[in-house]
Amino acid sequence: MPQWLCNQLMRAYQKKDIRQIRLLNDCWYFYRAKQRPSEESVTTNS
C-alpha cells in the first residue's frame, strides 16, 4: 500500500470519517485491481 494512502487512512480512522474511509478503501481496491493483471502477465511470460 502506498504510504500516502496509508497516512490518509490513518487520519480518516482517527477522525472517524466514514465517508473518507469508504472512498480510500475503494481507491485501494481499484489500485489493486489495476496492478493484478500486469503482475500476472509478468509472471506468466517469465
Side-chain angles (χ1 to χ4, degrees), residues 7-31:
N7 291 341
Q8 286 191 15
L9 270 168
M10 287 193 306
R11 200 172 304 129
Y13 273 104
Q14 288 173 352
K15 292 181 180 180
K16 297 182 170 103
D17 186 353
I18 293 174
R19 185 188 61 83
Q20 185 73 3
I21 293 168
R22 286 183 181 151
L23 176 70
L24 292 168
N25 196 34
D26 288 343
C27 290
W28 171 240
Y29 282 106
F30 180 76
Y31 174 82

